[in-house]
Amino acid sequence: SDHDLTATPINTALQALEDPQTSDLGLVQEIQPHSSSAEPPALEKSAYRVVRPPLTLRDGSTGDPLKLAQTPAPYLGEHTATILQDYAGFSMESIEEGVKEGWLYVY
């Protein structure tokens, strides 16, 4: 080639999951659904696959590879009350009032 240029395709998430190299490198990770019995009933409870970052970190004290998150993302509103209380100074009463009035969603 006449040009000194590095190029690579940019894949969609689905293309990355289906790429044989992604699988061969062990970058596809299966995430299990929440196991709580208090889940919103409308949510599907099947596992899903994601492409994890292409690196492995090591814990300096033990040398063991750090485990990447094996849990699903939190539900919408799952940690809202805790965050509002711990970091924004809301009282539980004001949180309950916001839920009752409809301007706050807490799961």
Side-chain angles (χ1 to χ4, degrees), residues 8-93:
T8 185
I10 298 175
N11 293 326
T12 65
L14 183 57
Q15 289 170 326
L17 283 169
E18 293 174 346
D19 188 312
Q21 186 169 358
T22 307
S23 179
D24 291 347
L25 291 172
L27 301 178
V28 177
Q29 181 177 3
E30 187 169 290
I31 303 293
Q32 297 301 319
H34 286 269
S35 59
S36 168
S37 60
E39 297 173 345
L43 294 178
E44 193 172 318
K45 298 179 181 179
S46 60
Y48 58 94
R49 298 179 311 145
V50 297
V51 177
R52 70 171 183 81
L55 55 98
T56 301
L57 303 175
R58 295 205 175 269
D59 179 346
S61 63
T62 64
D64 294 334
L66 294 174
K67 293 190 179 217
L68 296 171
Q70 298 283 328
T71 59
Y75 291 126
L76 177 65
E78 184 174 355
H79 303 295
T80 301
T82 302
I83 291 169
L84 290 174
Q85 284 180 303
D86 294 353
Y87 300 102
F90 277 62
S91 68
M92 196 58 192
E93 293 79 24

